[in-house]
């Protein structure tokens, strides 16, 4: 299922023992429905341009293990949403099936023709020009030179003239090694109703899937921009990222969550040998990296489209729901009639951290309602684990979970953004894999926020209209960091470094500079200064600003 090949052979894995059977090679043809794939690192991730990652012929996610063999980790996943429009609950998105279609929304209640070839998956790799595969290189070259900025694909306007001109340095906007982009909408009433029994809302979803080759080789990121292109306000709205992980043999699967990380995960039990991974099975999880924004006090700041938005705050995961395939009254299980409106109601209940029928979920250790399900520590065996519930013992089986965030309001033409990380980690035991997964999740979260809070995107949407000093990046740093600043006119610029006691250390620059964006590099190694907190003061004409930097050795 991975590639078209003329050299396929069979290997039988029987109860943890590899039995290799060689015969004449045969051919496997890549199914056209799985043609969209990102595989720049250890993960092969398949998807469609309608938001779904559920296929008849191939699992959507594979991970390269220590033995250079791919193992299957996922059956289906997707982003769902629900909210009230004029007192009517509506829902949409994708999970096992999809209520979406490729294409953007061109006017009120009118979608573009989904068969237009521009509504494909657009792909950019930073190293595409060095690909040895001629067909692959040409495909990436076409996407690079025809990047669909008119549809909303993210890009850097290097010469800031509003036109996409790659020959002048413009390029798709990403700091990852590879990014795939597509646009979809929910205006097909038949698909939407069949998905969860709901009417369409009028939402456009722009999805970026990206990955790093070396920085995070066991992670895939997904960034959704959801735009309300209807003329109706959506109140009490929720997003929910659903996943049905199939980790090895599903009869050995348990689920859990970490509310501090916005992370839900699947792991194998420690009391039985998984027939695929043995006694050292990895763990897979989905983490909400960035939630939607809501208005807040003037002192608060939110992350939105890679920039800081003052007067707002991001909503973290508000519930992490777990479900079991075989437990009636607990799992979200749509009615047999897929057009039944009860599917919308039950989905909305789960988004709020409730049973699908609306009752609270009870933590059996506290006997109190809980919205973060199975939040214990599998490695230490403490807290609420997935083997117990208020309605009886839970056995290892096929499990599912929902990473939920809300409520919030979307006015007409509002845009919300959520970012999800899909991550895999392997420890020295099944339970230790969860511990390693949480360490990886913490590292990802720290990097993601420090990258935005301490860096400057050269492709910011609007040029500053006045002097602007940006936070140094990286920060903390060792031993080098960069300081960027913007000058609206040519100016004499002085940047001076001070220690914590206010003593001058050195001038980082003292020059007359032209207008525009500037960057200077600073190395603490040259000055041989010690670890600690320092301040850098920026003076340009009458403008003065001071920021803090931290040196960690």
């Amino acid at each position: 299922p991975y590639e078209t090949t003329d050299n396929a052979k069979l290997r039988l894995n029987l109860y943890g023992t590899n039995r290799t059977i060689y015969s004449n090679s045969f051919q496997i043809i890549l199914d056209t429905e799985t043609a969209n794939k990102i595989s720049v690192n250890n993960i092969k991730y398949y998807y469609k341009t309608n938001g779904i990652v559920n296929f008849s012929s191939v699992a959507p996610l594979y991970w390269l293990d220590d033995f250079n063999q791919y193992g299957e980790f996922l059956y289906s996943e997707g982003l769902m949403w629900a909210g009230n429009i004029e007192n009517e609950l509506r829902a949409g998105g994708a999970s096992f099936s999809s209520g979406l279609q490729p294409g953007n929304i061109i006017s009120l209640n009118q979608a573009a023709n989904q068969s237009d070839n521009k509504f494909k998956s657009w792909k950019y790799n930073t190293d595409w020009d060095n690909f040895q595969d001629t067909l692959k290189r040409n495909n990436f070259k076409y996407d690079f030179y025809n990047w669909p900025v008119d549809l909303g694909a993210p890009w850097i306007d290097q010469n800031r003239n509003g036109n996409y001109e790659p020959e002048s340095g413009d390029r798709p906007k990403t700091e990852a090694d590879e990014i795939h982009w597509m646009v979809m909408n929910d205006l097909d009433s038949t698909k939407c109703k069949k998905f969860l029994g709901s009417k369409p809302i009028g939402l456009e979803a722009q999805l970026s899937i990206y990955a790093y080759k070396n920085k995070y080789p066991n992670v895939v990121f997904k960034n959704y921009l959801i735009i309300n292109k209807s003329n109706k306000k959506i109140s009490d709205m929720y997003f929910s990222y659903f996943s049905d992980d199939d980790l090895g043999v599903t009869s050995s699967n348990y689920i859990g969550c970490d509310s501090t990380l916005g992370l839900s995960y699947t792991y194998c039990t420690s009391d039985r040998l998984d027939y695929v991974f043995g006694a050292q099975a990895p763990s897979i999880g989905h983490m909400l990296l960035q939630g939607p924004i809501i208005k807040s006090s003037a002192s608060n700041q939110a992350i939105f489209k890679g920039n800081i938005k003052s007067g707002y705050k991001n909503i973290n995961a508000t519930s992490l729901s777990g479900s079991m395939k075989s437990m009636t009254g607990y799992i979200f299980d749509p009615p047999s009639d897929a057009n039944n409106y009860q599917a919308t109601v039950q989905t909305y209940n789960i988004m709020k951290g409730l049973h699908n029928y609306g009752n609270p979920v009870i933590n059996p250790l506290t006997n109190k309602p809980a919205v973060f399900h199975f939040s214990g520590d599998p490695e230490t065996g403490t807290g609420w684990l997935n083997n117990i519930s208020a309605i009886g013992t839970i056995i290892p089986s096929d499990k599912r979970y929902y990473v939920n965030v809300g409520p919030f309001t979307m006015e007409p033409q509002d845009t919300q953004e959520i970012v999800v990380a899909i991550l895999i980690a392997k420890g020295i035991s099944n339970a230790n894999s969860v511990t390693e997964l949480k360490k990886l999740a913490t590292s990802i979260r720290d990097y993601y926020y420090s990258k935005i809070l301490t860096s400057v995107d050269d492709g910011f949407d609007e040029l500053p209209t006045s002097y602007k000093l940006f936070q140094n990046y990286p920060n903390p740093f060792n031993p080098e960091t960069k300081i960027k600043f913007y000058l609206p006119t040519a100016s004499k610029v002085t940047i001076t470094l001070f220690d914590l006691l206010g003593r001058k250390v050195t001038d980082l620059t003292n020059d007359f500079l032209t207008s525009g964006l500037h960057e200077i590099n600073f190395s603490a190694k040259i000055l041989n200064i010690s670890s600690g907190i320092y301040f850098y003061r920026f003076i340009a004409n009458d403008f003065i600003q001071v920021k803090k930097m931290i040196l960690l050795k």
Side-chain angles (χ1 to χ4, degrees):
Y2 314 120
E3 306 284 353
T4 295
T5 178
D6 292 317
N7 194 33
K9 295 185 179 181
L10 295 178
R11 178 174 65 92
L12 176 66
N13 186 295
L14 181 63
Y15 297 97
T17 301
N18 291 333
R19 308 289 179 86
T20 304
I21 302 175
Y22 289 101
S23 62
N24 293 332
S25 299
F26 60 94
Q27 184 183 60
I28 289 180
I29 302 297
L30 182 66
D31 193 319
T32 55
E33 73 170 359
T34 65
N36 294 310
K37 175 191 66 176
I38 187 167
S39 59
V40 71
N41 56 28
N42 292 343
I43 293 177
K44 288 180 182 284
Y45 182 80
Y46 295 84
Y47 61 89
K48 292 183 182 180
T49 53
N50 64 352
I52 196 171
V53 293
N54 178 274
F55 308 100
S56 60
S57 59
V58 63
L61 188 148
Y62 296 83
W63 179 67
L64 190 66
D65 65 15
D66 300 335
F67 302 100
N68 204 37
Q69 298 172 352
Y70 279 100
E72 178 182 331
F73 278 73
L74 190 63
Y75 178 73
S76 185
E77 62 158 16
L79 179 68
M80 300 187 294
W81 50 75
N84 287 290
I85 297 179
E86 297 177 342
N87 296 318
E88 179 186 3
L89 183 63
R90 299 190 191 183
S95 58
F96 289 113
S97 60
S98 178
L100 307 175
Q101 62 181 349
N104 63 337
I105 296 178
I106 56 178
S107 62
L108 183 64
N109 298 323
Q110 183 178 358
N113 183 357
Q114 64 172 309
S115 62
D116 192 315
N117 59 14
K118 66 183 178 181
F119 299 128
K120 63 165 192 159
S121 171
W122 295 82
K123 305 175 178 66
Y124 169 67
N125 185 295
T126 56
D127 196 39
W128 68 266
D129 201 25
N130 293 318
F131 288 169
Q132 297 301 308
D133 185 321
T134 302
L135 178 60
K136 183 177 180 181
R137 183 174 64 252
N138 287 341
N139 287 338
F140 273 84
K141 179 180 179 179
Y142 177 86
D143 285 5
F144 173 71
Y145 280 99
N146 296 277
W147 195 246
V149 299
D150 58 317
L151 298 177
W155 65 294
I156 292 177
D157 189 1
Q158 192 69 33
N159 56 14
R160 309 195 189 284
N161 66 357
N163 299 316
Y164 183 67
E165 299 171 344
E167 63 277 1
S168 300
D170 295 349
R171 64 187 186 276
K173 181 180 177 182
T174 184
E175 59 134 29
D177 293 295
E178 186 165 308
I179 182 172
H180 297 191
W181 185 90
M182 67 218 72
V183 61
M184 58 202 82
N185 67 83
D186 72 345
L187 284 183
D188 187 316
S189 57
T190 301
K191 286 186 173 67
C192 195
K193 189 174 183 181
K194 186 176 181 181
F195 176 57
L196 286 176
S198 171
K199 295 179 182 177
I201 296 177
L203 297 184
E204 178 178 302
Q206 299 178 9
L207 171 59
S208 297
I209 303 174
Y210 59 96
Y212 300 86
K213 184 176 181 180
N214 298 314
K215 189 189 301 290
Y216 288 110
N218 300 316
V219 187
V220 170
F221 299 85
K222 299 180 74 173
N223 180 302
Y224 290 86
L225 284 179
I226 308 297
I227 308 170
N228 180 9
K229 290 196 171 180
S230 75
N231 59 355
K232 306 291 185 181
K233 180 176 76 171
I234 312 169
S235 59
D236 298 318
M237 188 173 184
Y238 284 80
F239 287 137
S240 178
Y241 205 89
F242 163 83
S243 185
D244 180 5
D245 301 337
D246 281 355
L247 178 59
V249 178
T250 58
S251 60
S252 67
N253 285 183
Y254 273 146
I255 55 175
C257 79
D258 187 322
S259 60
T260 64
L261 293 169
L263 171 71
S264 286
Y265 53 83
T266 299
Y267 64 103
C268 290
T269 63
S270 57
D271 59 351
R272 65 174 63 187
L273 184 70
D274 182 84
Y275 293 154
V276 174
F277 294 111
Q280 291 178 271
S283 179
I284 179 173
H286 288 72
M287 175 172 61
L288 178 67
L289 265 178
Q290 179 187 322
I293 61 174
I294 57 175
K295 287 185 177 181
S296 185
S297 62
S299 60
N300 281 336
Q301 294 181 320
I303 297 173
F304 184 70
K305 293 185 177 180
N307 295 308
I308 303 302
K309 192 176 180 69
S310 298
Y312 289 80
K313 68 177 182 179
N314 294 101
I315 313 176
N316 296 322
T318 48
S319 65
L320 298 168
S321 303
S323 63
M324 276 65 68
K325 187 174 182 178
S326 57
M327 299 191 70
T328 302
Y330 194 89
I331 184 180
F332 162 56
D333 191 7
S336 55
D337 177 6
N339 292 316
N340 194 322
Y341 181 68
Q342 283 302 309
T344 292
V345 176
Q346 292 180 22
T347 302
Y348 194 60
N349 287 335
I350 287 186
M351 291 179 177
K352 294 187 286 186
L354 303 172
H355 283 289
N356 49 302
Y357 293 113
N359 299 322
V361 176
I362 304 300
N363 182 332
L365 303 184
T366 64
N367 204 32
K368 295 180 180 180
V371 294
F372 297 102
H373 305 167
F374 313 118
S375 54
D377 185 338
E379 184 161 29
T380 62
T382 58
W384 183 17
L385 300 177
N386 192 205
N387 60 337
I388 55 173
S389 77
I391 56 176
T393 301
I394 301 174
I395 63 172
S397 62
D398 189 7
K399 306 286 177 40
R400 302 156 186 176
Y401 53 72
Y402 305 76
V403 180
N404 309 310
V405 57
F408 56 93
T409 298
M410 287 192 75
E411 298 285 349
Q413 305 309 311
D414 270 1
T415 299
Q416 287 286 6
E417 179 181 39
I418 74 162
V419 182
V420 175
I422 308 168
L423 54 154
I424 296 172
K426 183 177 181 180
I428 59 175
S429 67
N430 292 352
N432 180 250
S433 291
V434 176
T435 302
E436 293 301 315
L437 189 79
K438 293 181 181 181
K439 289 180 182 178
L440 176 58
T442 301
S443 173
I444 294 168
R445 182 170 289 276
D446 290 347
Y447 170 74
Y448 183 80
Y449 281 91
S450 67
K451 171 174 65 75
I452 294 175
L453 295 175
T454 64
S455 67
V456 180
D457 179 6
D458 289 346
F460 44 75
D461 294 334
E462 297 181 4
L463 287 172
T465 57
S466 61
Y467 295 98
K468 185 173 181 62
L469 174 67
F470 297 99
Q471 184 66 52
N472 65 298
Y473 175 77
N475 188 40
F477 69 98
N478 177 33
E480 297 180 348
T481 189
K482 296 179 180 180
I483 299 173
K484 291 186 180 181
F485 53 94
Y486 180 79
L487 305 176
T489 62
S491 309
K492 174 67 181 297
V493 175
T494 302
I495 300 179
T496 306
L497 184 69
F498 298 89
D499 66 15
L500 188 59
L501 298 178
R503 296 173 298 196
K504 179 179 176 179
V505 177
T506 188
D507 284 331
L508 302 181
T509 189
N510 188 11
D511 293 308
F512 190 86
L513 301 174
T514 60
S515 62
L517 185 68
H518 296 268
E519 176 181 286
I520 63 171
N521 297 317
F522 168 59
S523 174
K525 188 175 182 179
I526 297 176
L527 298 176
N528 195 29
I529 58 178
S530 60
S531 298
I533 298 174
Y534 294 85
F535 298 90
Y536 57 102
R537 184 184 64 190
F538 173 81
I539 301 177
N541 289 341
D542 296 329
F543 181 85
I544 301 176
Q545 189 171 5
V546 178
K547 287 186 178 291
K548 179 174 67 175
M549 63 169 60
I550 301 173
L551 172 62
L552 292 179
K553 292 185 177 180

